[in-house]
Amino acid sequence: MTEISRRNTKSNDNARRRIARPLVAAAVAAGLGALGAGGPVAAQSHGVAASAVSQTVLTAVPKAPAAGAHQVTIANYAFAPSTLTVSTGTTVTWTNNDTDSHTVTSIGSGLLASGTLNQGASYSYTFTTPGTYAYICSIHPFMHGTVVVQ
């Protein structure tokens, strides 16, 4: 490759970057505008078609838990929420967001027994009987949680 070819290639790469950055910024601004500041109208003022923004927003919004389902997050060596009150027939899902492994293990009853949950793993249980269900992480017993079923 000659020196002139190298310079032309570098110049073309820089030109592409100068063009791409404002386009990405406009798309992000349009998406944020569609989320709360004017919807598709705000998106069109940024030069982005409303249908494109709507598709982006729809794929960016996390799915809500199914009806009758509740989430408990395991993070920073804690269950959150630490106490959860649910109705009979509710499915509770614990998801480990820590880098260390954890468990969801009943105190006394043996009802909850997730086994080891590595990072990103989940465990679900459907509560069919009213009562108070205390649990711990058997690997880190200082981690406590409670599910109250009414």
Side-chain angles (χ1 to χ4, degrees):
M1 183 177 257
T2 67
E3 182 60 32
I4 293 173
S5 295
R6 264 191 289 269
R7 274 189 259 145
N8 287 341
T9 300
K10 187 174 181 179
S11 177
N12 288 341
D13 289 345
N14 288 337
R16 278 190 218 107
R17 285 187 195 109
R18 281 193 306 273
I19 292 169
R21 285 182 186 139
L23 291 175
V24 170
V28 169
L32 292 174
L35 284 173
V41 174
Q44 289 174 345
S45 70
H46 290 284
V48 178
S51 61
V53 172
S54 297
Q55 291 173 357
T56 301
V57 172
L58 288 175
T59 58
V61 175
K63 291 182 180 178
H70 290 276
Q71 301 289 319
V72 175
T73 300
I74 305 169
N76 300 316
Y77 294 89
F79 297 105
S82 60
T83 301
L84 181 64
T85 302
V86 300
S87 301
T88 303
T90 298
T91 299
V92 176
T93 300
W94 290 262
T95 302
N96 182 8
N97 291 331
D98 265 340
T99 55
D100 282 352
S101 297
H102 296 288
T103 70
V104 177
T105 306
S106 288
I107 298 175
S109 72
L111 190 66
L112 301 171
S114 68
T116 302
L117 299 174
N118 294 320
Q119 183 180 25
S122 294
Y123 168 72
S124 295
Y125 184 83
T126 302
F127 291 89
T128 57
T129 306
T132 299
Y133 301 90
Y135 62 91
I136 62 168
C137 169
S138 62
I139 301 169
H140 309 100
F142 59 87
M143 295 172 57
H144 293 264
T146 305
V147 177
V148 179
V149 181
Q150 299 177 337

